[in-house]
Amino acid sequence: MDSEVVIIGAGVIGLAVANKIAKMRHSVILLEKEPRYGCGASSRNTEVIHAGIYYQTPLKAKLCVEGKELLYRHCERYGIRHMRIGKIILAVSKEEVPKLDLMKKQALNNGVRDLVELEKNDIKKMEPEIKGLAALYSPSSGIFDSHGFMESLFRQVKASGVIFAALSPFIGAEAVKGGWRVEVGGRDTTTIVCKMVINAAGLYSLELAGRVFPGR
């Protein structure tokens, strides 16, 4: 079997990458060792849409802020359950109040410009059961249905012509002229020749990277 691209792992990253590459009119085989997509770490997250307040790494902050809005738009377009519920970052002691100022400066550096400073009375009005001296309110923090999100990606992947191979664990890959020879397990061992291998195996990515050989 031949394909231009083989992607290992059908979690949220593997699905998103497969969808993007397939839309560029490349043939893609998406390997997954489990019986369906999204059975690993992608199905065990907090389902929080982060505003991008805390990150001190510029690229991570940039991707979080941009990705937040892209994710909200995707949820709206495909009818995925989500809510911009907001988040209160609370200072309960005098010692913690200056930390809010530092946090706001970091947020501004990251491109998060919608934080609202709350005083004691503001906090009481917003959340009567919370006691604090000051707070920051992040209106763009939210939650979403990660399973619904992956389902929407999977539908696009199938519509784009990606071959989804469940119960097909990656055994190893070896460089050959013009690409890679990929060995796949499962009911029967199969060999795929492709131009590119993408490792999106999540927690198993380092282990599987050790099974990729540059050739002889």
Side-chain angles (χ1 to χ4, degrees):
M1 183 183 295
D2 292 350
S3 178
E4 288 182 89
V5 181
V6 169
I7 300 174
I8 308 165
V12 65
I13 299 299
L15 290 168
V17 172
N19 184 42
K20 183 71 173 182
I21 293 175
K23 285 183 176 178
M24 296 166 66
R25 301 188 182 280
H26 297 293
S27 58
V28 178
I29 296 176
L30 180 58
L31 303 179
E32 174 54 54
K33 66 183 181 65
E34 302 294 342
R36 67 190 304 274
Y37 63 88
C39 289
S42 295
S43 64
R44 294 167 175 82
N45 66 81
T46 62
E47 298 188 319
V48 171
I49 299 177
H50 294 282
I53 299 168
Y54 311 108
Y55 302 124
Q56 296 181 8
T57 306
L59 181 58
K60 192 171 185 178
K62 178 177 183 291
L63 294 176
C64 183
V65 173
E66 292 180 3
K68 168 185 62 179
E69 295 306 326
L70 289 172
L71 186 51
Y72 277 127
R73 289 205 292 270
H74 183 96
C75 289
E76 290 167 2
R77 180 176 180 181
Y78 294 100
I80 300 163
R81 292 181 300 164
H82 68 287
M83 292 178 65
R84 291 182 185 251
I85 59 173
K87 178 171 69 173
I88 294 175
I89 306 165
L90 193 67
V92 297
S93 68
K94 290 182 179 180
E95 292 75 22
E96 291 181 340
V97 173
K99 295 179 182 179
L100 294 180
D101 294 330
L102 294 174
M103 200 172 293
K104 187 175 182 180
K105 289 179 182 177
Q106 183 66 57
L108 289 171
N109 288 337
N110 293 351
V112 181
R113 310 194 184 282
D114 59 354
L115 293 186
V116 180
E117 294 184 14
L118 302 180
E119 296 181 352
K120 192 172 183 178
N121 290 338
D122 302 320
I123 299 167
K124 199 71 175 176
K125 290 177 183 177
M126 186 173 289
E127 291 291 343
E129 299 301 317
I130 289 180
K131 295 181 180 180
L133 299 180
L136 292 174
Y137 174 61
S138 169
S140 61
S141 298
I143 56 175
F144 78 121
D145 177 5
S146 62
H147 297 272
F149 175 59
M150 286 190 287
E151 183 180 349
S152 72
L153 292 177
F154 184 70
R155 288 199 300 265
Q156 292 179 67
V157 159
K158 296 295 286 183
S160 298
V162 173
I163 297 174
F164 175 61
L167 297 173
S168 300
F170 171 79
I171 296 176
E174 184 178 7
V176 296
K177 185 176 180 180
W180 297 87
R181 181 185 293 113
V182 180
E183 190 174 0
V184 182
R187 184 174 298 176
D188 299 303
T189 301
T190 305
T191 299
I192 304 171
V193 177
C194 63
K195 295 180 180 178
M196 181 182 294
V197 179
I198 297 175
N199 183 353
L203 293 174
Y204 301 96
S205 58
L206 290 178
E207 176 190 339
L208 298 192
R211 304 181 195 173
V212 177
F213 302 98
R216 299 181 178 85

